[in-house]
Amino acid sequence: KSYNIAVVGATGMVGRTMLKVLEERNFPINNLYVFSSSKSAGTQVQFRDKNYTVEELCESSFDRDIDIALFSAGGSVSAKYAPIATSKGVVVIDNSSTFRMDENVPLVVPEVNESEIFKHNGIIANPNCSTIQAVVALKPLHDKYNIKRIVYSTYQAVSGSGVKGVTDLENGLANRPHTFYPHPIANNCLPHIDVFTENGYTKEELKMINETKKILNDYSLKITATTVRVPVSNCHSESVNVEFYKDFELEELKNILKTSPSIVLLDEPEKNIYPLATIANGRDEVFVGRIRRDESVDSGVNMWIVADNIRKGAATNAVQIAESLIKKSKIYN
Ligand code: 2RA
């Protein structure tokens, strides 16, 4: 069976990567529709050696036979148009944060909580990129050793901000003024992703804390986070400290990670082998290394986790959700 697919935000960094991943993974597509804002409407995008004219998204865009719509056009576009799409029977996979914490909306990383997909009421939310790569590694450890507490420290690439972030880094490295971030990103680490909230945490930090609990379905988890923008073009790197209720043998823990879905262990520091952004770039796996016991607690471990935030962190995860969705004959409950 083939499906009629729409990509909303088709000319953005994530939208273009969604099209690339749909092609790479040979997703069964009958008709493809590509939408953007008025700014990019009329431009062409290529898919399977065919040119598609990008249409301006409007209220009637879903008045046609569309099965699944992948959204990555910002929160306000999702808030307005996802409900219109679902009212027409379209299943929406939304990459924005708009619906992630809605109790009627599954928040899904297929390797972690695929079964949640089939509880959808029309919308399935793609988690934040920095959350996705973390929970892929945390899930098998939580199942085995029961996590008590997580401390996230992230080092996030400028591609997470889209073309404006990438341009600011390029300008900074060429000694041209910055126009997007509040400070020059070149030669700086900015402890400021998204906006600050009243408790001193940024929305990005609160996303990691709240989304991790929902995806692992454990609201007793103690979690804190510091998310930082660093002068790296693509791929997010994360230092993750985890404390467990149960004790563990380090070799057994490493082997659990090594044999878990979508994880690649790069952990031979004596040979300078550990996850790097330049290794993860363009890949869909989650790379884990620097795995070592945290001697300051009874049962704890430190890890270094790196992944491509545009691919596994957004586009590929969304396409994987669509793949899981069509495994069932009926994609709508
Ligand atoms: C960022 N995770 O890195 C956010 C949104 N992509 O900017």
Side-chain angles (χ1 to χ4, degrees):
K1 181 174 177 358
S2 291
Y3 296 83
N4 297 330
I5 302 296
V7 175
V8 176
T11 57
M13 205 176 278
V14 173
R16 281 187 282 111
T17 307
M18 283 172 166
L19 290 168
K20 187 176 174 199
V21 171
L22 285 166
E23 239 176 21
E24 286 171 3
R25 298 172 75 103
N26 204 18
F27 193 89
I29 295 180
N30 182 23
N31 293 310
L32 175 72
Y33 304 101
V34 285
F35 299 102
S36 72
S37 64
S38 55
K39 189 164 59 73
S40 312
T43 57
Q44 301 276 314
V45 292
Q46 265 228 330
F47 184 78
R48 289 179 186 157
D49 296 328
K50 200 178 147 196
N51 273 330
Y52 289 77
T53 302
V54 180
E55 296 179 59
E56 181 176 353
L57 184 68
C58 64
E59 312 248 348
S60 62
S61 292
F62 302 99
D63 293 345
R64 63 190 90 175
D65 181 15
I66 293 173
D67 297 303
I68 301 170
L70 302 175
F71 273 63
S72 191
S76 53
V77 169
S78 294
K80 177 175 181 184
Y81 290 99
I84 295 172
T86 56
S87 73
K88 312 281 184 184
V90 177
V91 177
V92 170
I93 298 171
D94 181 23
N95 188 45
S96 84
S97 58
T98 307
F99 303 102
R100 286 179 185 157
M101 300 315 291
D102 182 324
E103 61 183 15
N104 298 313
V105 174
L107 181 64
V108 177
V109 178
E111 297 90 333
V112 177
N113 63 339
E114 183 184 39
S115 60
E116 289 300 305
I117 290 174
F118 308 111
K119 300 175 185 171
H120 78 77
N121 297 294
I123 298 175
I124 302 161
N126 212 36
N128 194 45
C129 40
S130 49
T131 309
I132 290 175
Q133 64 187 76
V135 294
V136 167
L138 291 174
K139 168 66 176 169
L141 301 182
H142 189 38
D143 288 348
K144 179 77 177 175
Y145 304 115
N146 196 2
I147 294 174
K148 179 192 293 184
R149 181 171 185 257
I150 303 166
V151 181
Y152 286 132
S153 303
T154 73
Y155 308 80
Q156 301 184 215
V158 294
S159 61
S161 307
V163 70
K164 288 178 180 168
V166 173
T167 305
D168 246 25
L169 176 57
E170 286 167 356
N171 284 338
L173 293 175
N175 289 316
R176 292 190 294 266
H178 63 282
T179 54
F180 177 65
Y181 293 119
H183 304 284
I185 183 61
N187 302 308
N188 262 330
C189 293
L190 306 183
H192 180 182
I193 297 180
D194 208 322
V195 296
F196 285 102
T197 63
E198 73 291 337
N199 65 356
Y201 281 75
T202 61
K203 277 191 174 178
E204 186 79 354
E205 287 154 356
L206 297 177
K207 284 175 187 174
M208 287 200 77
I209 294 167
N210 296 325
E211 292 176 20
T212 298
K213 292 177 183 175
K214 180 169 177 179
I215 295 164
L216 296 180
N217 192 29
D218 184 343
Y219 293 86
S220 72
L221 288 170
K222 299 175 187 308
I223 308 175
T224 190
T226 302
T227 59
V228 179
R229 188 74 69 195
V230 296
V232 169
S233 301
N234 192 46
C235 298
H236 290 349
S237 304
E238 301 178 353
S239 168
V240 180
N241 172 273
V242 191
E243 188 178 354
F244 304 109
Y245 285 106
K246 296 177 186 169
D247 200 359
F248 63 91
E249 289 300 319
L250 192 56
E251 284 316 305
E252 179 192 65
L253 184 145
K254 288 181 181 180
N255 195 50
I256 287 171
L257 288 169
K258 191 174 181 178
T259 55
S260 292
S262 298
I263 292 176
V264 173
L265 230 54
L266 292 180
D267 195 23
E268 297 175 83
E270 66 284 357
K271 296 177 184 169
N272 297 336
I273 294 173
Y274 31 72
L276 294 172
T278 49
I279 293 172
N281 191 41
R283 302 276 299 267
D284 290 323
E285 300 94 333
V286 172
F287 296 83
V288 185
R290 295 296 323 278
I291 304 163
R292 62 205 190 282
R293 185 177 288 279
D294 174 356
E295 303 290 358
S296 69
V297 293
D298 292 342
S299 179
V301 72
N302 285 310
M303 299 182 283
W304 179 249
I305 302 174
V306 181
D308 186 321
N309 54 293
I310 299 297
R311 287 185 66 102
K312 182 53 190 169
T316 306
N317 197 74
V319 172
Q320 285 175 279
I321 291 172
E323 289 171 344
S324 299
L325 200 56
I326 65 172
K327 275 184 201 167
K328 279 179 64 176
S329 53
K330 210 161 64 70
I331 65 174
Y332 218 113
N333 301 327

mmCIF file of all heavy atoms in Angstrom, residues 227-248:
data_model
loop_
_atom_site.group_PDB
_atom_site.id
_atom_site.type_symbol
_atom_site.label_atom_id
_atom_site.label_comp_id
_atom_site.label_asym_id
_atom_site.label_seq_id
_atom_site.Cartn_x
_atom_site.Cartn_y
_atom_site.Cartn_z
ATOM 1 N N THR A 227 21.372 23.641 29.149
ATOM 2 C CA THR A 227 21.536 23.460 27.694
ATOM 3 C C THR A 227 22.315 24.644 27.151
ATOM 4 O O THR A 227 22.005 25.803 27.429
ATOM 5 C CB THR A 227 20.161 23.365 27.000
ATOM 6 O OG1 THR A 227 19.429 24.548 27.253
ATOM 7 C CG2 THR A 227 19.395 22.145 27.493
ATOM 8 N N VAL A 228 23.321 24.364 26.351
ATOM 9 C CA VAL A 228 24.292 25.376 25.915
ATOM 10 C C VAL A 228 24.475 25.334 24.404
ATOM 11 O O VAL A 228 24.564 24.240 23.822
ATOM 12 C CB VAL A 228 25.658 25.132 26.609
ATOM 13 C CG1 VAL A 228 26.691 26.157 26.166
ATOM 14 C CG2 VAL A 228 25.494 25.167 28.126
ATOM 15 N N ARG A 229 24.478 26.501 23.771
ATOM 16 C CA ARG A 229 24.769 26.590 22.339
ATOM 17 C C ARG A 229 26.278 26.734 22.173
ATOM 18 O O ARG A 229 26.902 27.585 22.816
ATOM 19 C CB ARG A 229 24.043 27.798 21.725
ATOM 20 C CG ARG A 229 24.140 27.852 20.218
ATOM 21 C CD ARG A 229 23.270 26.818 19.570
ATOM 22 N NE ARG A 229 21.832 27.139 19.745
ATOM 23 C CZ ARG A 229 20.861 26.282 19.534
ATOM 24 N NH1 ARG A 229 21.134 25.042 19.181
ATOM 25 N NH2 ARG A 229 19.601 26.630 19.705
ATOM 26 N N VAL A 230 26.826 25.887 21.307
ATOM 27 C CA VAL A 230 28.282 25.913 21.111
ATOM 28 C C VAL A 230 28.608 26.141 19.636
ATOM 29 O O VAL A 230 27.758 25.893 18.770
ATOM 30 C CB VAL A 230 28.912 24.591 21.605
ATOM 31 C CG1 VAL A 230 28.720 24.418 23.103
ATOM 32 C CG2 VAL A 230 28.367 23.395 20.825
ATOM 33 N N PRO A 231 29.804 26.619 19.321
ATOM 34 C CA PRO A 231 30.171 26.924 17.932
ATOM 35 C C PRO A 231 30.495 25.661 17.113
ATOM 36 O O PRO A 231 31.608 25.457 16.675
ATOM 37 C CB PRO A 231 31.391 27.830 18.059
ATOM 38 C CG PRO A 231 31.851 27.767 19.440
ATOM 39 C CD PRO A 231 30.823 27.114 20.270
ATOM 40 N N VAL A 232 29.459 24.850 16.940
ATOM 41 C CA VAL A 232 29.530 23.627 16.132
ATOM 42 C C VAL A 232 28.419 23.729 15.091
ATOM 43 O O VAL A 232 27.309 24.159 15.422
ATOM 44 C CB VAL A 232 29.322 22.378 17.036
ATOM 45 C CG1 VAL A 232 29.115 21.108 16.217
ATOM 46 C CG2 VAL A 232 30.494 22.218 17.990
ATOM 47 N N SER A 233 28.705 23.369 13.862
ATOM 48 C CA SER A 233 27.697 23.543 12.793
ATOM 49 C C SER A 233 26.501 22.613 12.966
ATOM 50 O O SER A 233 25.354 23.059 12.943
ATOM 51 C CB SER A 233 28.333 23.252 11.424
ATOM 52 O OG SER A 233 29.404 24.133 11.224
ATOM 53 N N ASN A 234 26.761 21.320 13.152
ATOM 54 C CA ASN A 234 25.669 20.347 13.247
ATOM 55 C C ASN A 234 26.025 19.209 14.205
ATOM 56 O O ASN A 234 27.189 18.869 14.346
ATOM 57 C CB ASN A 234 25.349 19.758 11.858
ATOM 58 C CG ASN A 234 24.050 18.985 11.844
ATOM 59 O OD1 ASN A 234 23.038 19.451 12.374
ATOM 60 N ND2 ASN A 234 24.086 17.766 11.305
ATOM 61 N N CYS A 235 25.015 18.670 14.849
ATOM 62 C CA CYS A 235 25.086 17.573 15.833
ATOM 63 C C CYS A 235 25.180 18.113 17.258
ATOM 64 O O CYS A 235 25.969 19.019 17.536
ATOM 65 C CB CYS A 235 26.243 16.618 15.584
ATOM 66 S SG CYS A 235 26.111 15.779 14.008
ATOM 67 N N HIS A 236 24.329 17.543 18.091
ATOM 68 C CA HIS A 236 24.335 17.915 19.511
ATOM 69 C C HIS A 236 25.153 16.889 20.306
ATOM 70 O O HIS A 236 25.063 15.688 20.063
ATOM 71 C CB HIS A 236 22.908 17.918 20.060
ATOM 72 C CG HIS A 236 22.033 19.031 19.547
ATOM 73 N ND1 HIS A 236 22.495 20.105 18.823
ATOM 74 C CD2 HIS A 236 20.694 19.216 19.668
ATOM 75 C CE1 HIS A 236 21.488 20.911 18.512
ATOM 76 N NE2 HIS A 236 20.371 20.397 19.003
ATOM 77 N N SER A 237 25.947 17.427 21.224
ATOM 78 C CA SER A 237 26.714 16.569 22.136
ATOM 79 C C SER A 237 26.174 16.769 23.547
ATOM 80 O O SER A 237 25.766 17.884 23.897
ATOM 81 C CB SER A 237 28.203 16.953 22.102
ATOM 82 O OG SER A 237 28.697 16.879 20.776
ATOM 83 N N GLU A 238 26.137 15.715 24.342
ATOM 84 C CA GLU A 238 25.549 15.818 25.674
ATOM 85 C C GLU A 238 26.346 15.015 26.698
ATOM 86 O O GLU A 238 26.699 13.868 26.448
ATOM 87 C CB GLU A 238 24.097 15.286 25.657
ATOM 88 C CG GLU A 238 23.205 16.022 24.690
ATOM 89 C CD GLU A 238 21.782 15.484 24.635
ATOM 90 O OE1 GLU A 238 21.516 14.439 25.254
ATOM 91 O OE2 GLU A 238 20.952 16.118 23.967
ATOM 92 N N SER A 239 26.640 15.662 27.821
ATOM 93 C CA SER A 239 27.173 14.945 28.973
ATOM 94 C C SER A 239 25.961 14.555 29.817
ATOM 95 O O SER A 239 25.160 15.414 30.182
ATOM 96 C CB SER A 239 28.104 15.853 29.784
ATOM 97 O OG SER A 239 28.398 15.241 31.030
ATOM 98 N N VAL A 240 25.785 13.262 30.065
ATOM 99 C CA VAL A 240 24.612 12.787 30.809
ATOM 100 C C VAL A 240 25.078 11.993 32.024
ATOM 101 O O VAL A 240 25.786 10.999 31.887
ATOM 102 C CB VAL A 240 23.710 11.909 29.909
ATOM 103 C CG1 VAL A 240 22.483 11.422 30.687
ATOM 104 C CG2 VAL A 240 23.279 12.687 28.663
ATOM 105 N N ASN A 241 24.716 12.504 33.185
ATOM 106 C CA ASN A 241 25.051 11.817 34.443
ATOM 107 C C ASN A 241 23.786 11.157 34.962
ATOM 108 O O ASN A 241 22.738 11.811 35.038
ATOM 109 C CB ASN A 241 25.576 12.834 35.464
ATOM 110 C CG ASN A 241 25.763 12.219 36.844
ATOM 111 O OD1 ASN A 241 24.815 12.188 37.639
ATOM 112 N ND2 ASN A 241 26.950 11.717 37.105
ATOM 113 N N VAL A 242 23.857 9.860 35.251
ATOM 114 C CA VAL A 242 22.664 9.113 35.666
ATOM 115 C C VAL A 242 22.914 8.393 36.985
ATOM 116 O O VAL A 242 23.967 7.777 37.163
ATOM 117 C CB VAL A 242 22.285 8.040 34.614
ATOM 118 C CG1 VAL A 242 20.906 7.465 34.899
ATOM 119 C CG2 VAL A 242 22.317 8.621 33.211
ATOM 120 N N GLU A 243 21.955 8.516 37.902
ATOM 121 C CA GLU A 243 22.027 7.753 39.155
ATOM 122 C C GLU A 243 20.894 6.728 39.154
ATOM 123 O O GLU A 243 19.764 7.058 38.760
ATOM 124 C CB GLU A 243 21.881 8.694 40.357
ATOM 125 C CG GLU A 243 22.130 7.996 41.690
ATOM 126 C CD GLU A 243 22.037 8.944 42.875
ATOM 127 O OE1 GLU A 243 21.894 10.172 42.675
ATOM 128 O OE2 GLU A 243 22.120 8.446 44.015
ATOM 129 N N PHE A 244 21.221 5.491 39.533
ATOM 130 C CA PHE A 244 20.224 4.404 39.501
ATOM 131 C C PHE A 244 19.844 3.985 40.914
ATOM 132 O O PHE A 244 20.618 4.170 41.859
ATOM 133 C CB PHE A 244 20.813 3.175 38.795
ATOM 134 C CG PHE A 244 21.323 3.418 37.403
ATOM 135 C CD1 PHE A 244 22.685 3.411 37.137
ATOM 136 C CD2 PHE A 244 20.449 3.640 36.346
ATOM 137 C CE1 PHE A 244 23.175 3.636 35.850
ATOM 138 C CE2 PHE A 244 20.923 3.855 35.060
ATOM 139 C CZ PHE A 244 22.286 3.856 34.815
ATOM 140 N N TYR A 245 18.666 3.371 41.026
ATOM 141 C CA TYR A 245 18.308 2.717 42.294
ATOM 142 C C TYR A 245 19.084 1.404 42.448
ATOM 143 O O TYR A 245 19.533 1.054 43.536
ATOM 144 C CB TYR A 245 16.800 2.438 42.326
ATOM 145 C CG TYR A 245 15.969 3.672 42.576
ATOM 146 C CD1 TYR A 245 15.237 4.270 41.556
ATOM 147 C CD2 TYR A 245 15.952 4.260 43.838
ATOM 148 C CE1 TYR A 245 14.485 5.421 41.786
ATOM 149 C CE2 TYR A 245 15.196 5.404 44.087
ATOM 150 C CZ TYR A 245 14.466 5.985 43.055
ATOM 151 O OH TYR A 245 13.733 7.121 43.284
ATOM 152 N N LYS A 246 19.255 0.676 41.338
ATOM 153 C CA LYS A 246 19.956 -0.623 41.401
ATOM 154 C C LYS A 246 21.433 -0.460 41.042
ATOM 155 O O LYS A 246 21.794 0.416 40.261
ATOM 156 C CB LYS A 246 19.323 -1.618 40.411
ATOM 157 C CG LYS A 246 17.879 -1.977 40.717
ATOM 158 C CD LYS A 246 17.325 -2.910 39.630
ATOM 159 C CE LYS A 246 15.825 -3.175 39.841
ATOM 160 N NZ LYS A 246 15.231 -3.853 38.646
ATOM 161 N N ASP A 247 22.280 -1.358 41.580
ATOM 162 C CA ASP A 247 23.699 -1.294 41.239
ATOM 163 C C ASP A 247 23.911 -1.959 39.873
ATOM 164 O O ASP A 247 22.996 -2.581 39.329
ATOM 165 C CB ASP A 247 24.540 -2.001 42.320
ATOM 166 C CG ASP A 247 25.999 -1.514 42.237
ATOM 167 O OD1 ASP A 247 26.289 -0.669 41.343
ATOM 168 O OD2 ASP A 247 26.832 -1.979 43.010
ATOM 169 N N PHE A 248 25.109 -1.795 39.332
ATOM 170 C CA PHE A 248 25.378 -2.326 37.993
ATOM 171 C C PHE A 248 26.853 -2.719 37.897
ATOM 172 O O PHE A 248 27.700 -2.241 38.664
ATOM 173 C CB PHE A 248 25.072 -1.274 36.924
ATOM 174 C CG PHE A 248 25.926 -0.040 37.012
ATOM 175 C CD1 PHE A 248 27.129 0.055 36.315
ATOM 176 C CD2 PHE A 248 25.546 1.022 37.812
ATOM 177 C CE1 PHE A 248 27.924 1.196 36.413
ATOM 178 C CE2 PHE A 248 26.338 2.174 37.913
ATOM 179 C CZ PHE A 248 27.533 2.248 37.218
#
